[in-house]
Each structure stands twice: as C-alpha cells, then as structure tokens.
Amino acid sequence: MSRVVGFIDLDAYYCACEVKQKPSLLAGKPLAVCMYETWKKSPDRSADMDRIVKSGGAGLIAVSYEARAMGVKRQMSANEARKACPELITVMVPTKNGKADLSLYKENGEKVVEILQEFAGIVEKRSVDEVALDVTDAAQKLLETTPKELVARQAVNVSHFADSEISLKASKISHEAARRGHEGQHEYTKNDDDEKNHLLKYSSFDYLLLAGAVVINNARKAVRERLGFSCSAGIAANKMIAKVGCGLHKPNQQTIVFPRSVAVLLKDLPLNRLPGLGGDLGNRISSQLNITTAGGLANISRSILLNAGFQDADNLLAAANGTLDEPVKNRANYKSFGSSKTFYKHPITNLTIADQWLSNFAQEIFDRIKNDRNQRNRAPTNVTISITTDKSHVTRTEKVHIGWSDSPQPIVRSAHRLLRRWAGTRTAHLDIVVLGLGVSNFIDLPANKASVMDLLTRNPLHQSKKPSSSAEIMQPSKKKRTIAELLYQQATTSTKKTTTVGKKDSSFFPSSNIDPEVFAQLPPEIKAELLDDRTRLLRQSAPSLGNSHLEQRQVKKKKKTATTTIDSFFAPRRPR
DNA sequence: CATTATTAAGGA
DNA sequence: TCCTTAATA
Ligand SMILES: [Mn+2]
C-alpha cells in the first residue's frame, strides 16, 4: 500500500536557534555556531547569555545561509572562517557545569515535533532537526474536501519537482557540497520546469502526493510562523526518497518526487548521498564495483553484489532503485538520553575525577528525565557508561530503578559502579579521553506520581479515578486492601521512619522488610519499584503496559517474521 | 595548537 | 550486553 511521506529538515538549525534567542543581534547576519573551546577552562555561559566569541573558537558545527554565501563551511575552525568572512558572527554553544549544554536545541526540536504532530498521523523524530511524517491520511482527507485540480495548483505553487532541470542539477552535487549548502541553494525562485508540471496528466497517486505536499507546506508554515524556524521538505512515496528530495532545494523550500521521477533523480545522484551509504559501506561499494552513483549501483546485478561480499544486496538494490520502503515509525520522542565530554589532551587519570564527571552527567540526564516523565509518564531502566581511551572504547550497562524518584542518586550509583567494573582495581592512570553516560530502555510509569500505592490499588474501576493527594495514597479504599495493605503495614510497623511514607522512592518499602512470599506474588514492575538498588536481583526490565514499547514490539515482531529487515533507511551489513 | 556531542540501529 | 556504523548540528 503506497504512502505519502514528508521529510522535514530545519534550515541551518543551530544558527536558527541562536537567531531565535537574539533576533535583534543575529537575524539576517552571517552566523556560525561553534563548539566551546574544550581545551580552555572558562566560565559557563548559559543559553540566555551573550555567547558571541570574537576570537578563537573551535570548529563550526552550523553555518547560516548568509555565511555560506561568503564561503564559510561547516567543519572550518572559527578562525579560518573569519578569514573567509570578516563580518562573521560566531556563537558558541551554551555550556553548563564545564561541558556543552545542547538543551536549547533539543527543546526547540521537541517544539517543532509537537507542531508537526498536528499535521500527520505518524511522526518519526529522526534527529534533533529532522522529522519524517506519514501524511497519507491527511492527504486523502484534503482530496475529499477540495477539488483535486485546486490541490494540484496549490502544490505546484509552493513546490519544486524532482525532474526539473534545477532539481536534476542539484542531484548531481557531491554529498559534501550538498550538506554544506552548494551554490545555487537560495530561497525559492519559481521555475519554468516546475510550472510545466502543472500541465501534465496526474495519476490518482500523483494527486495524493500533491495533496501531501500541500499538507507539508502547511506544516512548514506553522513551524515558521509559530516558532520562527524555516525548514525544507521532500515529499515522496517512501521515506528514503523523501529525504533525498528534501536535500535538493534548501533553505525554506520543498520538493515533490513523483514515482516516475525517481529513476532520473537517482541516475546521477552520488552514491554516498543515499541514506546509509554516506560512510564506509558506500565507499567500499564505490571502489569495489567501480561505481559512483545510485544509478550505477542499480545497474549492478544481485549476484555480482553477493559475490563481492555485500550480503544485503536486495536492500542495496532497493535503495539504488528508490523502492526501499521503510515505513515511517510512530515515534515522536527520544529513546535514550546521554551526556558526554571529550578530554582532549588532558585525559582523566583519577578515579575520583571520573566519578565527579559521571555525577555531573547524571544530574544533567536526571533533569531531562524529570521533564520527560512529567509529560510522558515514562522513565529509563538502563544506565550505560561509555569510556574511550587511546587504545579502546567500551560500554558497560546495568539495570537501574528510577521510577518517580526525585533524586539522581540511583543513576549516580550505577554510573560509579559501572566505572569500577571497567577500572578494576585501578584508581589512577585511567587515561579516559571520552567519558559518557546514558540512559535508555524507557518503560511506562503509572499515569501519575502515586508510585507504589497506586500500582497496588489500581484496577479497571479504580484507574479512572486516580489518587490525587498523598492522603488518598496512604488510604486505599477498603476493597483493595490486599497485598497493598500487607505491604503497607509491614513497612510502617517495622520501619520507624513513617514520615517517609509519602515519598515516591523505593526507599519507602525497604525490601528487607517485605515478606518474600508476598513479594513473590507482585507483578514485576512493582518488584522493580520495591527493589533497593543495591539488591540487584531483577535483571530484566518489567513488561510495559503502556505504549512506550510500541515500537520495540513492532521490531520484535518484524524480526520473527522477516528474514532481512531494515530498521533505518538501511541496514548496512559488512561483507565478509 | 584542536571537531564535539548526541542519537539510533544492526549484528554477534 | 557490547561493539560498530551512520547520522545530525
Ligand atoms: Mn538541518
């Protein structure tokens, strides 16, 4: 069943966030965002502070279109960039507790997703500034209420088409040039070729795509008007082609790729512009098979690909032919939170210093968790540290119980334990170059902050009327006084500190005070909640009742049924 | 003097 | 669970 997919990418995103912070100073200016100078020790500068750096400055990670016009490129150092463009304004990312603080960009990105959700039934957040939308339903609805010729007229007025001369020219640009903003990338100019598209005979699916383009244009307009971010988009029958189409015309433009235009679009498209082939795999394919374009790969036979060791031949060919059809996932928010820092030239040697940084990371992550769980009633159950030295990179993971805890301590303790798991007996000469901490594997929490008593007293009748006060939590209705009361009595009689009863932490019921038989009867998520984080008996996460596992369920199901599945645009497989 | 910080996913 | 690859700014 064919879908209508829109792929939206925000223009010069970090720069746009900075302009939004200080429009009077930055709007319309050649602007670049750079990393902070990691090798210097300087005071933190939060998002609302002046972060303009006049000299020095690290590598550029985002460049405004005004600056691109002057020859400033991503990945240049700030000093280098000022030579190309003396008027360039360089802003460093916000810093907090001695490290980059990217929350400004993440939070704006979440606001964008919220708006886009009004326009599409299925929304997949793909990165801090990219979103894929399945707008099939919305497009169909539009065609039900509006004459298709009118829809087509509207779409043509606001869109490029992939088979126009300027689009095909853009398709031939190198991956690198396309990413940094190639020549000829400028605000929308009406194009004769695009106009001609209006005179063509459209198939019924063409009309659906055109309707999708109108929906996407409305969505982009809403983002622009309500948040001040301009964005570009591609509209096509699948996610991969929509993304490729999105890259053709920026900024503030959108491109429609009709199915009949896919072959021309891909014919001369550099192979590494296909999503998933931008790295080693694409390079190996290029060199081993002597091809440079997606069209070139499409002409290679399956057996030759297999003989060359590319086991994923079918998917490679599907990508090269633009038929790879990975559905838009229904996932509008993050699956993991992380915090990390590079200690360039000054590796961490001492265990206690590493501990301090991990605590720092944990606090940052926990702030995000609190925010997230208030909105989505979920919390992560895995903690992972990542440690890079000159010679090695390792990750270590363990389960953690966070629930509605008000403290980052469970994460801190896990992180410190994991660090020791890696360090062994060493307390010095650790030589950590990159240290990172992350949380993942979210589970749904009960719908409000009631925690244990809420879990124990819930049933279909009770669920609609949730306890809203701590008094209610402490006095479950007579009917439900089963395990809940047993536990409650045990806790309050055997523990002197009855004042902690209202706390939403697992310390409320020290596991040592719970009758093992009663404990054994509890559902796994309650066991997890009751578990003191030092008694790490439960090794697998509790099954989720809500929908934060929806996607994982789908993935599991897919793995069972299909032999070769892809989860992203592409599932690169290494040749043997 | 100097990329850095995240996120997601696949394979073993 | 751990490692690797690819992607974004
Ligand atoms: Mn972007």
Side-chain angles (χ1 to χ4, degrees):
Chain A
M1 186 178 43
S2 260
R3 311 296 296 174
V4 179
V5 177
F7 194 101
I8 291 184
D9 182 307
L10 292 148
D11 300 323
Y13 179 56
Y14 281 16
C15 288
C17 289
E18 298 300 343
V19 170
K20 189 178 164 74
Q21 285 295 108
K22 255 197 177 314
S24 59
L25 233 82
L26 304 177
K29 301 278 174 56
L31 171 69
V33 175
C34 58
M35 260 296 153
Y36 66 113
E37 294 173 301
T38 49
W39 55 94
K40 275 190 198 169
K41 214 175 266 175
S42 42
D44 291 337
R45 288 201 235 177
S46 60
D48 51 357
M49 289 170 73
D50 175 15
R51 283 176 283 111
I52 293 177
V53 286
K54 303 271 184 199
S55 64
L60 305 187
I61 52 181
V63 181
S64 77
Y65 280 83
E66 292 85 350
R68 292 181 201 195
M70 308 285 293
V72 179
K73 293 164 183 168
R74 263 178 96 254
Q75 167 231 337
M76 271 180 170
S77 78
N79 280 325
E80 200 183 340
R82 285 188 202 96
K83 286 178 202 161
C85 175
E87 323 89 272
L88 180 71
I89 302 175
T90 48
V91 174
M92 71 170 200
V93 300
T95 49
K96 193 178 176 184
N97 298 320
K99 64 180 292 299
D101 172 16
L102 304 179
S103 54
L104 172 67
Y105 316 117
K106 289 172 192 161
E107 283 165 16
N108 275 312
E110 290 179 349
K111 288 181 193 165
V112 170
V113 170
E114 263 179 51
I115 290 177
L116 294 179
Q117 282 178 311
E118 299 169 20
F119 294 85
I122 309 175
V123 174
E124 178 181 341
K125 183 172 175 63
R126 296 212 41 103
S127 81
V128 69
D129 83 320
E130 285 186 352
V131 184
L133 310 170
D134 187 320
V135 291
T136 314
D137 294 349
Q140 253 153 14
K141 274 195 191 111
L142 179 60
L143 284 176
E144 282 164 18
T145 58
T146 314
K148 59 184 184 181
E149 293 79 12
L150 184 55
V151 168
R153 182 73 253 175
Q154 287 173 359
V156 168
N157 280 340
V158 298
S159 306
H160 289 284
F161 290 88
D163 58 354
S164 74
E165 196 181 319
I166 58 167
S167 292
L168 293 178
K169 194 178 162 199
S171 78
K172 298 173 175 67
I173 305 284
S174 78
H175 182 49
E176 298 75 21
R179 263 188 59 81
R180 66 173 174 244
H182 56 87
E183 255 184 90
Q185 271 195 343
H186 43 68
E187 285 259 1
Y188 187 69
T189 48
K190 206 55 199 132
N191 173 277
D192 286 345
D193 286 359
D194 293 334
E195 270 302 312
K196 278 182 215 150
N197 254 287
H198 187 52
L199 305 174
L200 296 174
K201 267 235 156 66
Y202 297 128
S203 71
S204 58
F205 183 73
D206 287 347
Y207 278 113
L208 203 57
L209 270 191
L210 289 160
V214 171
V215 172
I216 291 295
N217 188 61
N218 290 339
R220 289 174 49 228
K221 190 168 164 227
V223 169
R224 201 163 54 240
E225 288 177 352
R226 292 193 234 162
L227 297 176
F229 295 132
S230 89
C231 54
S232 302
I235 300 96
N238 68 56
K239 198 161 64 177
M240 194 198 76
I241 294 301
K243 181 177 168 66
V244 173
C246 179
L248 293 177
H249 299 291
K250 293 179 175 185
N252 198 25
Q253 294 159 83
Q254 64 178 51
T255 306
I256 299 173
V257 190
F258 288 129
R260 60 179 147 76
S261 310
V262 169
V264 230
L265 170 63
L266 295 181
K267 182 174 175 293
D268 293 328
L269 188 89
L271 187 68
N272 58 4
R273 282 180 71 178
L274 285 181
L277 296 185
D280 269 358
L281 179 61
N283 284 339
R284 285 202 310 272
I285 294 171
S286 268
S287 55
Q288 288 184 38
L289 301 170
N290 216 16
I291 51 169
T292 56
T293 65
L297 176 57
N299 285 332
I300 305 281
S301 78
R302 196 184 109 96
S303 57
I304 288 178
L305 275 171
L306 287 171
N307 281 337
F310 298 105
Q311 293 176 290
D312 210 16
D314 290 333
N315 285 326
L316 287 170
L317 287 172
N321 286 302
T323 55
L324 188 61
D325 193 8
E326 187 62 18
V328 177
K329 291 186 177 71
N330 186 13
R331 182 179 56 74
N333 37 52
Y334 290 103
K335 300 180 71 174
S336 67
F337 300 158
S339 177
S340 67
K341 177 174 165 67
T342 303
F343 299 87
Y344 189 81
K345 290 281 180 187
H346 298 287
I348 299 175
T349 55
N350 193 315
L351 189 72
T352 59
I353 303 292
D355 275 344
Q356 284 168 27
W357 278 109
L358 287 172
S359 301
N360 181 353
F361 298 161
Q363 182 62 61
E364 182 190 332
I365 289 167
F366 186 69
D367 287 344
R368 264 182 94 184
I369 290 173
K370 278 194 288 188
N371 205 314
D372 177 82
R373 75 185 174 185
N374 280 339
Q375 297 175 54
R376 299 185 248 276
N377 293 309
R378 60 174 196 163
T381 61
N382 278 9
V383 173
T384 303
I385 60 164
S386 109
I387 296 168
T388 306
T389 67
D390 271 352
K391 352 180 93 175
S392 65
H393 173 82
V394 296
T395 61
R396 293 287 178 266
T397 302
E398 73 173 34
K399 286 282 163 197
V400 68
H401 170 65
I402 294 168
W404 287 106
S405 165
D406 285 323
S407 160
Q409 281 313 306
I411 303 171
V412 171
R413 282 194 292 269
S414 280
H416 289 179
R417 202 159 35 230
L418 290 167
L419 175 65
R420 279 152 185 75
R421 189 134 86 74
W422 170 79
T425 56
R426 287 181 299 162
T427 57
H429 309 298
L430 300 179
D431 293 333
I432 297 171
V433 178
V434 185
L435 182 62
L437 181 64
V439 295
S440 59
N441 207 355
F442 284 80
I443 56 162
D444 294 320
L445 298 175
N448 66 11
K449 284 197 175 194
S451 190
V452 177
M453 295 312 283
D454 183 49
L455 274 167
L456 295 180
T457 56
R458 78 182 168 182
N459 68 14
L461 289 172
H462 202 65
Q463 240 169 5
S464 54
K465 191 196 166 200
K466 287 147 197 156
S468 52
S469 69
S470 57
E472 201 170 345
I473 294 166
M474 283 155 55
Q475 288 183 357
S477 72
K478 297 275 174 191
K479 245 195 155 180
K480 282 95 195 171
R481 289 165 63 110
T482 53
I483 302 173
E485 187 164 78
L486 260 173
L487 284 171
Y488 181 77
Q489 283 176 352
Q490 287 195 17
T492 48
T493 54
S494 58
T495 310
K496 306 299 165 207
K497 292 195 171 192
T498 51
T499 49
T500 62
V501 155
K503 271 190 87 175
K504 289 125 192 161
D505 202 43
S506 55
S507 59
F508 175 25
F509 290 123
S511 53
S512 57
N513 291 329
I514 295 173
D515 183 338
E517 281 183 34
V518 174
F519 184 82
Q521 295 174 38
L522 295 174
E525 68 266 32
I526 300 180
K527 285 182 183 168
E529 184 134 9
L530 294 174
L531 261 185
D532 177 45
D533 73 310
R534 286 183 55 199
T535 53
R536 320 193 58 75
L537 301 173
L538 272 192
R539 283 299 175 205
Q540 68 266 57
S541 56
S544 163
L545 300 168
N547 59 15
S548 81
H549 275 186
L550 245 183
E551 190 204 341
Q552 278 152 326
R553 290 209 191 104
Q554 285 166 355
V555 170
K556 272 185 187 166
K557 195 170 144 196
K558 249 195 294 189
K559 275 185 178 169
K560 270 183 203 168
T561 54
T563 51
T564 52
T565 59
I566 42 180
D567 243 43
S568 150
F569 294 108
F570 233 60
R573 280 187 203 168
R574 295 167 53 216
R576 35 160 124 233

